[in-house]
Amino acid sequence: MTHPNSDIKSAVVSAAASSWSDPAAQALERIATALEKLIPAPPPPVDFDAADAFVWHAATASLQPVKQVNRVEMALLRGIDRLRDLLTDNTERFAKGFAANNALLWGARGMGKSSLVKAAHADINARLKGTPAFLPLKLVEIHREDIDSLPALMGLMREVPYRFLIFCDDLSFDAEDTSYKSLKAVLEGGIEGRPPNVLFYATSNRRHILARQMIDNERSSAINPGEAVEEKVSLSDRFGLWLGFHSCSQEDYLAMISGYVEHLGLEIERDQLEREALEWAITRGARSGRTAWQYIQDLAGRLGRAT
């Protein structure tokens, strides 16, 4: 690919060579070459056929294909049946070209928020594969620190025939961070708006994404506290679908454990399994899907098995 400034460089050097001495023209060429190296080359075109999942790298404005997504099968996500159905239905409507909402999955840590997003993506593609005119839904992960580059990422997708699910895990903003304003504009209200083939899913431990002290500080220091607070919490209003995840019960926790044991074919007495699993949760101070999986990792290792 020809560098965008190579024609300019040639024209400048040619003009100089016709009017200056050879040493001057050579010096000018060296300067032009050095300046050219400081200008980054344009990113290569994206091959969206390379994979069904990508990671966005803002520094190079490029999408890295992910051949194997790190995910849990939908059948292994226990205790979140209603949330699973709501997100899957929303995702399927979008994949089929119908109206759908941006989704915010918020709440207790380790309860399967990001796992559900990845599982829903895989489940939709598997079930709709072979449907006439269906193109695979693409999952694109954007890191929290790259949110400012979201408009550039959406620009790459605007004229592409595929439909994209942009996913940001553990989205939150601290007191000095103002990039949430650009996210608000991109999701709803910007002059271009969100492309019709793009949907945004985010997970967060915070219901309103912003830190609680940010909201409290506005109440205590703003001239009009009500308006200041509204301006900050309105970010979460850009998500039409809110899914709240809460700490699981002991029954759901043990159901997760049993599901993993059955799926992996681990052999252990039920009484021993429940006793060890509950003790594991007590030592961690929490019952969650993540805690259940960590116990299964330990159990499989003790049984000489890989997961």
Side-chain angles (χ1 to χ4, degrees):
M1 180 181 294
T2 304
H3 195 282
N5 294 297
S6 58
D7 293 339
I8 298 175
K9 171 188 169 184
S10 299
V12 171
V13 173
S14 297
S18 63
S19 58
W20 293 0
S21 62
D22 287 343
Q26 292 172 1
L28 182 60
E29 183 174 6
R30 288 195 298 271
I31 293 172
T33 300
L35 292 174
E36 187 179 56
K37 291 179 179 179
L38 297 176
I39 302 174
V46 181
D47 180 12
F48 288 111
D49 294 322
D52 286 343
F54 298 82
V55 175
W56 169 247
H57 294 286
T60 56
S62 61
L63 285 165
Q64 175 187 343
V66 179
K67 297 295 185 181
Q68 185 67 39
V69 176
N70 178 29
R71 62 180 180 85
V72 176
E73 293 184 20
M74 185 73 80
L76 294 177
L77 298 177
R78 306 293 180 91
I80 53 172
D81 295 0
R82 180 176 174 275
L83 304 176
R84 175 200 63 201
D85 294 343
L86 287 171
L87 188 71
T88 301
D89 289 347
N90 190 69
T91 308
E92 183 171 350
R93 289 195 297 270
F94 173 69
K96 290 179 176 178
F98 304 140
N101 276 308
N102 298 316
L104 172 62
L105 292 73
W106 65 274
R109 65 188 189 277
M111 280 303 298
K113 297 185 293 293
S114 59
S115 294
L116 180 56
V117 172
K118 292 181 284 187
H121 166 256
D123 179 69
I124 297 302
N125 277 346
R127 287 196 289 107
L128 297 184
K129 185 178 182 180
T131 303
F134 173 71
L135 294 176
L137 178 63
K138 304 295 181 179
L139 180 66
V140 178
E141 181 179 25
I142 182 171
H143 296 136
R144 152 68 193 87
E145 57 271 18
D146 294 332
I147 284 296
D148 280 342
S149 67
L150 194 54
L153 172 58
M154 288 186 172
L156 294 177
M157 303 170 174
R158 191 174 293 274
E159 304 300 329
V160 177
Y162 289 106
R163 300 183 78 77
F164 296 91
L165 196 61
I166 299 181
F167 169 52
C168 183
D169 191 25
D170 197 19
L171 179 63
S172 62
F173 298 93
D174 296 322
E176 302 303 321
D177 196 341
T178 59
S179 58
Y180 72 92
K181 295 182 179 180
S182 62
L183 177 58
K184 285 170 57 177
V186 168
L187 293 181
E188 301 288 346
I191 192 169
E192 279 190 301
R194 174 170 52 86
N197 64 332
V198 173
L199 206 61
F200 189 83
Y201 283 4
T203 69
S204 178
N205 293 333
R206 303 166 179 169
R207 183 176 183 179
H208 291 294
I209 304 177
L210 307 177
R212 181 71 190 181
Q213 60 266 29
M214 292 177 68
I215 300 174
D216 291 340
N217 287 344
E218 291 290 359
R219 285 197 176 100
S220 63
S221 60
I223 296 175
N224 191 322
E227 290 182 357
V229 171
E230 284 294 319
E231 193 271 337
K232 288 203 176 326
V233 302
S234 64
L235 171 59
S236 57
D237 291 342
R238 263 62 176 184
F239 296 90
L241 183 61
W242 281 19
L243 300 178
F245 290 69
H246 307 285
S247 298
C248 64
S249 65
Q250 179 172 303
E251 181 181 0
D252 287 336
Y253 172 70
L254 292 176
M256 295 173 189
I257 295 289
S258 297
Y260 285 131
V261 167
E262 181 179 350
H263 178 74
L264 297 172
L266 303 178
E267 296 183 1
I268 182 174
E269 292 293 332
R270 183 168 184 82
D271 290 344
Q272 179 185 353
L273 175 67
E274 292 188 359
R275 184 175 64 255
E276 288 186 0
L278 293 174
E279 181 181 353
W280 185 274
I282 291 172
T283 60
R284 299 303 181 278
R287 290 191 300 262
S288 68
R290 180 177 296 133
T291 303
W293 178 247
Q294 290 169 346
Y295 166 70
I296 290 297
Q297 293 274 79
D298 179 77
L299 175 62
R302 288 188 280 117
L303 296 176
R305 295 285 302 278
T307 56

